């Protein structure tokens, strides 16, 4: 089967040296770089904006998987494209016109994703399934790293796997929040094709990044073999 994408969330990185941290996770085997953007309004935390992302862009060639936890969102999309995002994910609740937002993202030449909060039904993406490149299932409430995986989201992941396969859409199914070597196997078995991991990648400091990513890949391989 296709290799699962691992997208470390730099929310758990050392913000005093983000460029170096990105080079380290690139070397450690990250497939994508997950960038969490928070506005202190849609979620109760604040992180970084497009200027920082632009500055980080020179530190890796790996795709920037930009998760926008901001509302309203439309007015800011272009700035994130200019900053170097390869994929922009917006929350289903981020604006009144999800389809329009997705059209805007794709019209600017980048991939478009929709994020679903734990209480958001999976059916929200059904009408736009052919207008997206990725679905991001939040397995914690957005806003903070280091939270515990919500097991009830596994059914949602499985339902979305059914939706994607049923209509033959080319959509990545990514899961974000509390993903570690203990939960990754269940997430894979439910049908995910990409994992975001913050705490699980950055715990232990730079010397542990490669073994942390390898540990996630090993958990995925044993879950795959047990399948
Ligand atoms: C939460 C963010 C996640 C978070 C994941 O709002 O979207 O990307 O950083 O962190 P862990 O892996 O620590 O749950
Ligand atoms: Zn995220």
């Amino acid at each position: 089967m296709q290799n699962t994408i691992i997208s470390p969330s730099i929310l758990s990185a050392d913000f005093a040296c983000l460029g170096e941290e990105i080079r380290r996770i690139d070397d450690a085997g990250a497939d994508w770089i997950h960038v969490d953007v928070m506005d202190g309004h849609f979620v109760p935390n604040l992180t970084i904006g497009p200027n920082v992302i632009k500055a980080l862009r020179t530190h890796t060639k790996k795709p920037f998987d930009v998760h926008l936890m901001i509302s309203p969102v439309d007015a800011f999309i272009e700035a994130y494209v200019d900053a170097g995002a390869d994929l922009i994910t917006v929350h289903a609740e981020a604006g009144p016109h999800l389809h329009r937002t997705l059209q805007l993202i794709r019209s600017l030449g980048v991939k478009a994703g929709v994020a679903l909060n734990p209480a958001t039904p999976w059916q929200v993406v059904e009408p736009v399934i052919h207008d997206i490149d990725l679905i991001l299932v939040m397995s914690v409430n957005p806003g903070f790293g280091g939270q515990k995986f919500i097991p009830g989201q596994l059914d949602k992941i499985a339902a979305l796997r059914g939706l994607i396969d049923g209509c033959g859409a080319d959509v990545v199914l990514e899961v974000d929040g509390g993903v570690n070597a203990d939960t990754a196997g269940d997430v894979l078995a439910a049908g995910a094709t990409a994992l975001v991991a913050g705490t699980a990648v950055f715990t232990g400091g730079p010397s542990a990044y490669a073994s942390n990513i390898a540990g996630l890949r090993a958990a995925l391989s044993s879950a795959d073999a047990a399948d």
Side-chain angles (χ1 to χ4, degrees):
M1 79 179 278
Q2 198 189 326
N3 278 346
T4 308
I5 294 160
I6 296 192
S7 189
S9 162
I10 59 167
L11 189 60
S12 300
D14 181 350
F15 270 46
C17 53
L18 273 181
E20 208 173 337
E21 288 279 75
I22 282 183
R23 292 199 302 277
R24 289 172 179 148
I25 51 170
D26 181 333
D27 289 346
D31 296 306
W32 294 354
I33 312 294
H34 186 83
V35 184
D36 287 308
V37 176
M38 305 185 187
D39 66 354
H41 163 75
F42 184 72
V43 290
N45 197 3
L46 271 172
T47 56
I48 59 173
N51 289 343
V52 175
I53 296 174
K54 193 174 204 152
L56 295 175
R57 189 60 279 189
T58 56
H59 291 267
T60 180
K61 291 192 165 46
K62 301 240 166 107
F64 273 6
D65 165 27
V66 177
H67 177 192
L68 296 182
M69 287 162 271
I70 66 175
S71 174
V73 67
D74 288 7
F76 299 97
I77 297 289
E78 200 169 346
Y80 288 97
V81 173
D82 291 345
D86 296 278
L87 194 152
I88 294 181
T89 296
V90 298
H91 275 256
E93 296 87 355
H97 306 290
L98 177 61
H99 185 270
R100 174 176 289 153
T101 305
L102 297 168
Q103 274 184 316
L104 172 63
I105 296 170
R106 280 186 155 186
S107 75
L108 295 170
V110 303
K111 292 187 172 166
V114 177
L116 304 178
N117 283 329
T120 305
W122 65 266
Q123 288 90 342
V124 164
V125 295
E126 206 167 6
V128 294
I129 192 70
H130 295 294
D131 303 297
I132 57 180
D133 303 286
L134 178 141
I135 300 168
L136 181 66
V137 175
M138 292 304 304
S139 41
V140 297
N141 284 295
F144 303 95
Q147 302 180 77
K148 204 167 172 302
F149 184 83
I150 302 171
Q153 298 305 305
L154 291 169
D155 286 347
K156 188 191 286 182
I157 299 165
L160 287 163
R161 178 81 268 141
L163 170 69
I164 294 166
D165 291 349
C167 67
D170 184 13
V171 171
V172 173
L173 185 51
E174 187 174 43
V175 177
D176 184 6
V179 174
N180 55 38
D182 293 331
T183 55
D186 289 343
V187 171
L188 178 77
T193 52
L195 304 182
V196 176
T199 307
V201 168
F202 286 92
T203 294
S207 63
Y209 298 166
S211 58
N212 289 343
I213 292 176
L216 282 172
R217 292 202 196 281
L220 292 169
S221 310
S222 45
D224 205 22
D227 201 12

